[in-house]
């Protein structure tokens, strides 16, 4: 993916090379939020066709085979994401009129023109409307954007918007569900640690990354977010992670939620930080 944003990043002197996938997530996330906040209503002028499965409706204009791939992969991701997050009984959600709508424009030009997105945007998600809008760029769409945005939708469905759910957790979960990213993070996070570039957990909690434009800071934040989720799920297990999310959903603070879900090992944000730092340095690639 060669976006205007990527070009801007590569023109800067950076110590680290962050894989394209991380940059992509940042782009899609920032524009998901912007799109959501602005509540832009798009008037589609082209003729949409649709195909449906149990939990999704895919709208397309010209490439039916690609739409079929998207539908198939969406169902696979849906089950995998719910199960990896330890969400039992999640299959009851998103059926019939609550199905998620995925719009696939035939080209990048058409996507940008119809949605009014900036020229480096690859896709947008509208959380409250359970809608994803992008275009037919096969590999990137299927392997990155789709699992990332579906994970956001599933996670937000589960934890809601009322509790004290930190942004890093939301972004960490979404990136964790992008299959290629799991291998990349081990190397990148260790390099950040070795270069003493890690943010403190207090900074991670306080930072509203949507308002920041320093590319190095944004990248560090995103890499750390997914690494923290990796730690919580891999070192412990999905059911503890689920219990942690449930406490947040029910309005408990981060620290109380950690204490409840990881009573022996993580009893404070400081514990989380120390154990996570130890984990990233001892993990073998
Ligand atoms: Zn995101």
């Amino acid at each position: 993916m060669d976006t205007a944003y990527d070009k801007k990043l590569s023109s800067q002197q950076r110590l680290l090379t962050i894989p394209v996938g991380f940059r992509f997530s940042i782009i899609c996330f920032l524009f998901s939020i912007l799109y959501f906040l602005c509540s832009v209503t798009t008037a589609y002028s082209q003729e949409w066709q649709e195909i449906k499965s149990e939990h999704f409706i895919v709208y397309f204009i010209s490439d039916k085979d690609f739409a079929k791939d998207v539908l198939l992969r969406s169902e696979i991701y849906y089950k995998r994401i719910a199960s990896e997050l330890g969400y039992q009984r999640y299959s009851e959600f998103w059926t019939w009129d609550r199905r998620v709508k995925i719009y696939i424009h035939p080209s990048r030009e058409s996507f940008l023109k119809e949605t009014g997105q900036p020229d480096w945007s690859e896709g947008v998600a509208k959380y409250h409307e359970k809608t994803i809008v992008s275009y037919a760029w096969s590999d990137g769409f299927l392997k990155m954007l789709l699992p990332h945005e579906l994970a956001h939708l599933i996670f937000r469905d589960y934890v809601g918007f009322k509790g004290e759910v930190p942004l890093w957790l939301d972004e960490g979960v979404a990136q964790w569900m992008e299959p290629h990213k799991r291998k990349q993070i081990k190397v990148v996070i260790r390099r950040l640690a070795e270069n003493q570039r890690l943010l403190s957990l207090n900074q991670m909690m306080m930072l509203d990354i949507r308002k920041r434009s320093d590319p190095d800071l944004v990248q560090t934040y995103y890499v750390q977010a997914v690494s923290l989720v990796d730690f919580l799920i891999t070192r412990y297990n999905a059911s503890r992670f689920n219990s942690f999310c449930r406490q947040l959903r029910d309005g408990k603070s981060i620290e109380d939620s950690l204490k409840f879900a990881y009573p022996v090992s993580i009893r404070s944000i400081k514990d989380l930080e120390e154990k996570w730092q130890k984990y990233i340095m001892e993990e073998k690639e």
Side-chain angles (χ1 to χ4, degrees):
M1 233 174 320
D2 193 15
T3 64
Y5 189 64
D6 286 339
K7 280 179 195 140
K8 193 175 129 209
L9 294 181
S10 58
S11 71
Q12 306 206 4
Q13 293 271 318
R14 284 184 290 123
L15 285 173
L16 291 165
T17 304
I18 308 286
V20 165
F22 285 108
R23 302 205 290 268
F24 169 75
S25 287
I26 296 163
I27 293 162
C28 97
F29 167 71
L30 292 177
F31 276 80
S32 301
I33 295 291
L34 276 180
Y35 195 83
F36 164 68
L37 289 176
C38 297
S39 295
V40 176
T41 308
T42 307
Y44 295 104
S45 57
Q46 294 152 299
E47 285 284 310
W48 290 101
Q49 302 176 61
E50 60 177 56
I51 48 173
K52 296 176 179 177
S53 63
E54 192 182 356
H55 304 101
F56 298 90
I57 307 175
V58 174
Y59 296 88
F60 63 100
I61 288 179
S62 56
D63 190 344
K64 190 167 186 179
D65 284 342
F66 183 69
K68 280 183 186 165
D69 268 359
V70 171
L71 198 64
L72 190 70
R73 291 277 191 116
S74 299
E75 287 291 347
I76 293 169
Y77 284 136
Y78 174 89
K79 289 182 182 73
R80 203 198 76 197
I81 293 168
S83 129
E84 290 204 358
L85 291 176
Y87 296 173
Q88 310 296 333
R89 299 187 296 279
Y90 194 73
S91 60
E92 295 160 21
F93 293 81
W94 292 10
T95 49
W96 304 105
D97 57 343
R98 288 175 298 181
R99 279 183 278 207
V100 166
K101 298 179 180 68
I102 302 173
Y103 288 87
I104 307 165
H105 284 270
S107 68
R108 191 148 203 285
E109 291 67 34
S110 140
F111 160 72
L112 293 174
K113 186 166 165 259
E114 297 292 331
T115 60
Q117 290 287 296
D119 65 0
W120 43 265
S121 171
E122 302 287 2
V124 290
K126 296 187 270 184
Y127 298 131
H128 288 290
E129 294 168 37
K130 291 200 178 74
T131 300
I132 295 169
V133 187
S134 188
Y135 65 97
W137 45 296
S138 64
D139 252 26
F141 185 97
L142 292 171
K143 291 180 181 164
M144 293 191 282
L145 187 135
L146 191 58
H148 184 103
E149 297 301 344
L150 285 178
H152 272 313
L153 294 179
I154 291 173
F155 181 70
R156 275 294 162 183
D157 250 12
Y158 191 75
V159 299
F161 288 89
K162 289 181 195 145
E164 188 191 330
V165 179
L167 193 56
W168 66 259
L169 187 61
D170 204 344
E171 281 312 316
V173 166
Q175 292 178 91
W176 181 242
M177 296 305 165
E178 293 176 49
H180 71 285
K181 220 167 250 187
R182 297 190 182 187
K183 275 187 190 161
Q184 295 176 354
I185 52 165
K186 312 269 184 213
V187 180
V188 180
I189 196 71
R190 194 179 301 185
R191 234 181 290 159
L192 281 170
E194 284 164 359
N195 286 303
Q196 299 178 340
R197 297 260 313 274
L198 295 180
L199 299 165
S200 73
L201 264 199
N202 275 335
Q203 284 174 297
M204 291 289 287
M205 296 288 179
M206 305 293 289
L207 206 58
D208 185 349
I209 204 67
R210 295 166 293 189
K211 294 179 181 155
R212 309 303 284 263
S213 56
D214 172 2
D216 286 343
L217 176 71
V218 174
Q219 286 165 355
T220 303
Y221 178 93
Y222 271 79
V223 174
Q224 251 181 261
V226 64
S227 175
L228 281 159
V229 168
D230 165 27
F231 167 68
L232 288 172
I233 294 181
T234 309
R235 173 50 58 93
Y236 303 97
N237 56 44
S239 101
R240 280 197 191 279
F241 187 74
N242 176 260
S243 162
F244 171 56
C245 295
R246 218 166 39 233
Q247 300 306 306
L248 291 173
R249 179 193 65 190
D250 295 344
K252 283 200 188 168
S253 70
I254 305 280
E255 220 155 64
D256 285 347
S257 303
L258 285 169
K259 243 182 256 178
F260 184 92
Y262 307 91
V264 181
S265 36
I266 309 175
R267 299 188 55 78
S268 64
I269 289 172
K270 193 165 174 286
D271 277 354
L272 171 60
E273 183 158 39
E274 285 172 6
K275 298 214 159 134
W276 165 71
Q277 284 185 350
K278 197 158 166 265
Y279 170 80
I280 59 176
M281 295 317 284
E282 76 194 15
E283 270 288 291
K284 297 283 174 285
E285 287 147 33

